[in-house]
Amino acid sequence: MSQTKYIFVTGGVTSSLGKGIIAASLAKLLQARGYKTTIQKLDPYINVDPGTLNPYEHGECYVTDDGAETDLDLGHYERFLNVKTSQANNVTTGRIYQSVIEKERRGEFLGKTVQVVPHITNEIKERVQILGNSGEYDIVITEIGGTVGDIESLPYIEAVRQLLWELGDNNAIVVHLTLVPYLSAAGELKTKPTQHSVKTLMESGIKADILVCRTEHELSDEIKNKLALFCNVRREAVIQSIDASTIYDVPILMQEEGLDTVALKKLALPDTTAPDLIQWDEFLYRHKNPKHEVTIGLVGKYVELQDSYKSILESFIHAGASNEVRVNVRFIHSEHITKKNIEKKLHGLDGILVAPGFGERGIEGKIEAVRYARENNIPFLGICLGMQMAVIEYARNVLGLTKANSTEMDGSTPDPVISLMEEQKTITNKGGTMRLGAWDCHLKKGSLVHQIYNGTDDISERHRHRYEFNNEYKEQFENAGLLTSGVNKETGLVEIVELPDHPWFIGVQYHPEYKSTVANPHPLFVGLVKAALNHKKEQTNATMA
């Protein structure tokens, strides 16, 4: 295609309607028709990126290959499309203003008064078109964070209005996601909130081309006709988005509603190729028709908000489907685990995952969970901080270094088995001390991870952490049976530890969950689920015997 087309996804009435899932579903359908598609997210908060946000504030921080700390919606984009995203796929108000202010300080505006219009809106438009101007994509879908009418979203809405005018007819459209609530007292669906939402959008100079209506109940033809008439959209452009049992149903539901067909028509693009969703349908079938069931404990300190571990939970869905296993995740707060109650808290688990995190809160509970998994031969995966807790637990309970710790938790520990790299110790800016993005890792031949990665010698995985395995203790650990089976050749930093005399015990410094997709479930999660199933079968056989 000679010119990239743009689709803007806005939201109304309330937040958390699922703009990211709708955007990802539409992108999947267009990709399945042969169009090169990508998605970007514009976030209206003033943080430069989500990297310093508490997970309770905004859920998981998702990291891309190029080291960008981004919104969790980018995880949905990658999981649906199996296409890598980058810094260009996530823009925040903080980053926009930072860029404009830096340009002003350099004198790029030649003494002009710097204003929201045109300077901020121009910066937004430039960021929106970076992906389109790369020549790599036929269609760019841009999700506007927040809700129409929010003060912080106004510059983005104005930038979209300008882009629609500049790009011209059939080159850009707006999909507006809204809510059609059901009033149980009246026993009916109400369209008025949607009408007001569309009216608010029109007050900003934007007319919705497609209306996607979230609903708990089927929309009748009468309601769809009413929405079309009063919201000024074509009847076929009123799309029902009914609650689904899984987010992976949504592309299929959107295809049945004709969302992709309407979008292509409005963009004046050929609608001659039916979506190829064979692999997607196969995944859905395996996901919905498991032959077995396992329970895996997720030990973390942000378990009250499941979005804090969004990529991990989705990775279990992918790995479960791959193994034809239903994975039941039991959330266990690490702060509530003690030596006295560990048996009660972790009893009956087929596998244990100790989750990533920052700070000292809840780490003793994580260490106890690691010990329980190690001593009871329960399949174990430690991710990032979880891997570091596995190292500390082994140091304390096997090497006899009873005060071993990470310098993140205890700066005066006599045995800092986890510590900062030397070059990081003088940095005070929190955002400047992280090892971020894709790093290479060489796997030791004959190790369990080498087998799990199908005999691959070198892999690349995404990181997000400050502290590292202290190589001064490496020989001591290996002599005591903890194998460092993955190392970054360039830096010598340990990436993976495992226990050869345990059925399945692996700790990784990186975040495998960031790379798991529907098309390519991550091998570590596939391996953990398989090991959990084997453990369950062994326990069942032992009980019967």
Side-chain angles (χ1 to χ4, degrees), residues 463-481:
H463 290 249
R464 184 177 180 253
H465 57 96
R466 294 187 183 92
Y467 294 81
E468 304 283 353
F469 180 98
N470 189 341
N471 278 331
E472 291 179 13
Y473 292 86
K474 184 176 177 181
E475 186 176 347
Q476 210 172 335
F477 275 111
E478 295 213 319
N479 289 339

Side-chain angles (χ1 to χ4, degrees), residues 7 10 135 142 220 244 306 426:
I7 299 174
T10 60
T142 302
S220 65
Q306 293 187 12
T426 57

